[in-house]
Amino acid sequence: MTTSTSDDPRTLVSTDWLATHLKDPDLRIFDASWYLPDSGRDAKAEYAAGHIPGARFFDIDEISDGRSELPHMAPPVEKFMSRMRAMGVGDGHQVVVYDGAGLFSAARVWWLFRLMGQHNIAVLDGGLPKWLADGHKTTTTPPTIRDRHMTVKMEPHRMRDVTDVARAAKLGDHSIIDARAPGRFRGDEPEPREGMRSGHIPGSQNVYYKDLLNANGTMKAPNALRTVFQDAGIDLHKPAITTCGSGVTAAILSLALERIGKTDHALYDGSWSEWGMYADLPIATGA
């Protein structure tokens, strides 16, 4: 069995770990691929064309709060539970989530499970590209689904709303970390969604999510992750709030913070999709 010493079924597991455990009766796998509208990629079609054996498709846009105008906000508890039950995922299961980009949208589902009080979930390090590169097979066969009840105990401390973030920005008592590309953070590049202002939350600091990843799409080792945060000027002694464009890549920051042993972090679910839309919220530009 060739598994990495850094395998942790609550944060991140290697393709070797998944291959070893693939036939475990209580393992459940999600393909949580999601792409920006301008990427030209269709996550559902790609899943149908080939996925890791046993994987179910987790639709980030559908398993969300349909009452919100903001994209893929965290769903109500009842909706999350009913969707998981319908996919045969519940109590006693070890969940592994991956995506087709390497390590991108899968972290969002990891965070969502954590928000719902589910801790036996890990992201597949390097995702589907690494799985294929390591010579593992995919299938087009859909998984057999058996109903399973899930007990959800919401952990609200894992999420922040616009009021919380505005207060934190004013008081300076949190490290607000923005995962967007530096050009978007500075306000030099336009936002991918129409009607968004450019810039960042005053007092926030930029850690581009790609800086946390190796060239092959896997996450850097914990000491290297710590260095990335410190080099960006992040005060790791303060509680952290992660943010991005719409709450997807912010979860990569959250996963990286968890990997370095920092547990006092929360994700701003509305992120720039919310903050950038309201003219009465202050914005900063430049580095």
Side-chain angles (χ1 to χ4, degrees):
M1 172 164 144
T2 54
T3 57
S4 158
T5 49
S6 62
D7 284 320
D8 173 13
R10 289 175 165 232
T11 54
L12 199 68
V13 295
S14 64
T15 52
D16 285 342
W17 184 97
L18 183 58
T20 302
H21 291 272
L22 201 58
K23 296 206 163 101
D24 287 7
D26 280 329
L27 179 76
R28 295 293 179 270
I29 306 170
F30 280 126
D31 179 330
S33 301
W34 176 90
Y35 304 105
L36 284 164
D38 58 2
S39 69
R41 294 183 71 170
D42 181 334
K44 275 187 193 163
E46 289 183 21
Y47 167 81
H51 51 265
I52 294 175
R56 294 121 165 91
F57 185 74
F58 190 108
D59 188 335
I60 286 173
D61 286 324
E62 199 282 320
I63 305 173
S64 68
D65 188 351
R67 304 161 302 184
S68 175
E69 291 177 5
L70 297 166
H72 41 253
M73 294 285 279
V77 166
E78 303 72 31
K79 183 173 185 179
F80 182 80
M81 282 170 66
S82 71
R83 294 296 187 277
M84 291 308 100
R85 186 168 196 156
M87 288 198 277
V89 178
D91 295 341
H93 283 148
Q94 168 67 47
V95 180
V96 174
V97 58
Y98 72 89
D99 62 61
L103 207 164
F104 183 61
S105 53
R108 168 74 189 185
V109 174
W110 170 83
W111 170 79
L112 190 56
F113 266 70
R114 286 296 187 95
L115 179 69
M116 299 294 173
Q118 300 290 318
H119 290 232
N120 294 332
I121 178 162
V123 171
L124 180 63
D125 201 13
L128 187 63
K130 180 86 165 62
W131 179 261
L132 293 169
D134 290 345
H136 300 301
K137 302 228 174 337
T138 57
T139 182
T140 56
T141 309
T144 307
I145 298 207
R146 291 182 185 86
D147 216 301
R148 182 85 161 241
H149 173 72
M150 179 182 279
T151 310
V152 170
K153 195 173 178 196
M154 188 92 161
E155 297 184 0
H157 65 276
R158 297 188 182 276
M159 183 163 67
R160 294 287 178 265
D161 65 18
V162 67
T163 313
D164 301 325
V165 179
R167 188 187 302 117
K170 200 172 176 182
L171 296 176
D173 58 352
H174 286 68
S175 292
I176 305 173
I177 318 172
D178 191 321
R180 291 176 301 157
R184 286 174 65 190
F185 178 83
R186 292 191 303 263
D188 303 343
E189 292 169 14
E191 286 298 304
R193 290 178 180 83
E194 260 181 68
M196 296 282 115
R197 298 176 298 160
S198 295
H200 57 265
I201 298 163
S204 63
Q205 292 158 291
N206 189 207
V207 174
Y208 186 27
Y209 78 90
K210 286 189 177 176
D211 292 341
L212 301 169
L213 306 177
N214 297 307
N216 67 351
T218 57
M219 187 166 267
K220 289 178 177 175
N223 9 341
L225 293 174
R226 187 176 285 277
T227 301
V228 172
F229 285 117
Q230 288 170 336
D231 288 352
I234 307 300
D235 183 348
L236 291 170
H237 298 294
K238 289 182 183 178
I241 296 172
T242 62
T243 181
C244 60
S246 67
V248 173
T249 57
I252 300 173
L253 299 183
S254 302
L255 179 63
L257 290 168
E258 197 77 18
R259 288 289 284 173
I260 64 170
K262 185 171 175 63
T263 54
D264 56 343
H265 57 84
L267 185 145
Y268 172 27
D269 203 16
S271 282
W272 197 253
S273 294
E274 182 174 42
W275 194 281
M277 197 165 60
Y278 294 112
D280 56 339
L281 290 169
I283 58 168
T285 54

